[in-house]
Amino acid sequence: MSSFKSLFTHSLGVTALCSVMAFSHAAPAQETLYAYGPGGPAPAMKEAAAAFEKTAGVKVEVTAGPTPKWLDKAKTDADLVFSGSETMMTDFVYALDGQLSHQQVTPLYLRPLAMLVRPGNPKHIKGVKDLFKPGLKVLVVNGAGQNGVWEDMAGRKGDIKTVAALRNNIVGYAKNSAEAKQTWTDNQDIDVWLIWNIWQVANPQLADVVPIERDYAIYRDAGIAITTRAENKPAAKAFVSFLQSPAGAKIFAKWGWKTGQN
């Protein structure tokens, strides 16, 4: 089985590399692709875009952040749209007014929900059960691909008491990750921020990370889709192939994404 997996991974890498190399010889000078999506995957996506430009000679201009800031522009020129969860991508399909198709979505990599704590972990948070203790102040994100994710975690074992205990400790429900980051910065009395682990990787000075135990773990993915505007652009397909290749996986792993099985 391991040899098959190795062969499959090697084949994917060779296929992606050949696709990029073949495209690089045919690419028109100064071609630019426009990609839009949320802030979470942005650090990895931007680094991948820069690596792809060096390899294929095509610039991928990545615009990231809360959806309202880029949606109107994306409707006019988006070649690619990336997401922070499957539910988010479904919302994008509807929001882009027919420019995206459910069948064109490519899931890429997963990342886990994590507990971000103040530097040095002054409240000595060790696991999810600590979140249920009275008096702890917890910040969650309820939107932008994280709708209900705290509930998914707290209810993993089928105990309504843990859901109720966590709800009693939540002091902030941010609409998106950027808003949560600002709330965390402005309110130093908040003890724990429930969000994807990648936010700590990108902002190590703001928090330390405490992993969530396996039996409470929640994962959601980043995906990418080519718009109808770009479905006949070889460069768009080559970029998606690059993201899936070993080179793309290495970049995403650097930023905290899971690029293999548990």
Side-chain angles (χ1 to χ4, degrees):
M1 182 69 177
S2 60
S3 61
F4 172 78
K5 181 179 178 182
S6 177
L7 178 61
F8 175 78
T9 302
H10 176 73
S11 297
L12 177 60
V14 170
T15 300
L17 180 60
C18 289
S19 175
V20 171
M21 290 177 65
F23 173 74
S24 65
H25 290 294
Q30 304 299 317
E31 181 171 4
T32 299
L33 296 173
Y34 297 93
Y36 295 86
M45 195 64 67
K46 289 180 178 179
E47 183 170 334
F52 179 74
E53 182 176 0
K54 290 180 180 179
T55 303
V58 176
K59 181 178 181 180
V60 182
E61 186 171 305
V62 177
T63 299
T67 308
K69 293 186 176 181
W70 53 258
L71 182 59
D72 288 343
K73 185 70 164 54
K75 289 179 179 180
T76 68
D77 66 5
D79 297 300
L80 301 139
V81 176
F82 59 93
S83 68
S85 75
E86 290 297 317
T87 60
M88 178 187 285
M89 182 60 86
T90 299
D91 289 341
F92 290 163
V93 170
Y94 292 129
L96 266 290
D97 299 334
Q99 295 187 46
L100 289 180
S101 165
H102 295 294
Q103 286 69 43
Q104 293 298 321
V105 176
T106 300
L108 293 170
Y109 304 108
L110 293 165
R111 81 289 207 202
L113 187 68
M115 296 175 286
L116 271 59
V117 299
R118 296 294 172 183
N121 194 6
K123 290 297 180 75
H124 307 292
I125 305 299
K126 296 180 180 179
V128 170
K129 291 183 179 179
D130 290 328
L131 302 182
F132 307 145
K133 295 177 180 178
L136 202 71
K137 294 183 178 181
V138 181
L139 170 66
V140 301
V141 184
N142 195 66
Q146 295 178 68
N147 287 325
V149 70
W150 70 266
E151 177 186 0
D152 292 343
M153 182 204 72
R156 276 293 302 273
K157 296 188 176 183
D159 187 351
I160 192 62
K161 292 180 182 178
T162 57
V163 177
L166 181 53
R167 173 171 276 281
N168 286 338
N169 286 343
I170 296 174
V171 297
Y173 296 83
K175 295 182 178 66
N176 54 58
S177 299
E179 181 180 305
K181 179 181 176 182
Q182 191 63 52
T183 300
W184 177 258
T185 302
D186 293 343
N187 297 272
Q188 294 292 315
D189 61 332
I190 296 176
D191 303 307
V192 181
W193 175 13
L194 281 176
I195 196 168
W196 311 121
N197 68 316
I198 60 172
W199 279 89
Q200 192 276 335
V201 176
N203 302 276
Q205 76 284 357
L206 287 183
D208 291 343
V209 65
V210 177
I212 288 174
E213 304 93 307
R214 188 181 183 87
D215 54 348
Y216 280 107
I218 300 294
Y219 297 88
R220 290 187 184 170
D221 75 342
I224 194 162
I226 298 173
T227 65
T228 55
R229 178 182 297 102
E231 60 187 0
N232 293 319
K233 291 184 178 182
K237 295 177 182 178
F239 182 60
V240 174
S241 293
F242 178 80
L243 294 176
Q244 295 177 288
S245 74
K250 183 177 181 180
I251 292 169
F252 272 78
K254 168 187 171 182
W255 290 99
W257 294 82
K258 286 180 55 62
T259 57
Q261 295 179 341
N262 287 332

